[in-house]
Amino acid sequence: MTLTISEDRPAAAVPDTMPLVFEAIVKQQAIAASYNRGSVTLAPHIVYTKHGEIYLDALTLERDGQPPREAKIGAFKLTGLTGLRVTPRRFAASELFDAKDAKYDGVTLLAIEQ
């Protein structure tokens, strides 16, 4: 399955996990997955395309069972998140997230409401 953003942008392959990510963003529920050989719990804020790939920007809540040293929004290639599942853990929109950032112009698929 492919998703076309606009005629001047390449199509991106839609991962099977896309419905889970959309659900998590809409319900503002954390997701858990494996990423770079470690476990992560993320608060997903936005899904967008970049260079023909689908990315997720999220606040990391836990990495390998530990909270991060500092809060930050990270970019995760959606195909790199394996074993992805929605958790019951709820989250609020982070003040670090800016949906109006220029990097999201014309490529946003879904973002949390602020």
Side-chain angles (χ1 to χ4, degrees):
M1 182 184 316
T2 60
L3 177 66
T4 303
I5 303 305
S6 69
E7 291 180 18
D8 62 333
R9 298 211 183 269
V14 177
D16 292 342
T17 55
M18 186 68 83
L20 293 175
V21 173
F22 280 4
E23 176 186 349
I25 290 172
V26 169
K27 293 180 177 180
Q28 290 186 231
Q29 287 181 262
I31 57 174
S34 293
Y35 191 76
N36 289 340
R37 297 187 207 127
S39 63
V40 292
T41 303
L42 307 170
H45 280 57
I46 191 168
V47 178
Y48 60 99
T49 60
K50 178 173 139 183
H51 307 298
E53 298 286 345
I54 298 176
Y55 282 82
L56 168 71
D57 279 8
L59 180 70
T60 302
L61 302 173
E62 290 182 0
R63 185 175 294 274
D64 295 324
Q66 300 295 314
R69 287 188 286 264
E70 67 178 87
K72 68 178 182 174
I73 300 286
F76 299 85
K77 196 172 186 180
L78 200 54
T79 56
L81 292 167
T82 59
L84 191 140
R85 64 197 180 284
V86 178
T87 73
R89 184 174 178 176
R90 308 256 321 156
F91 69 90
S94 172
E95 57 197 33
L96 300 173
F97 175 67
D98 179 10
K100 294 180 176 96
D101 190 309
K103 76 178 184 175
Y104 304 130
D105 285 349
V107 295
T108 297
L109 301 176
L110 183 68
I112 61 170
E113 292 191 21
Q114 292 183 292

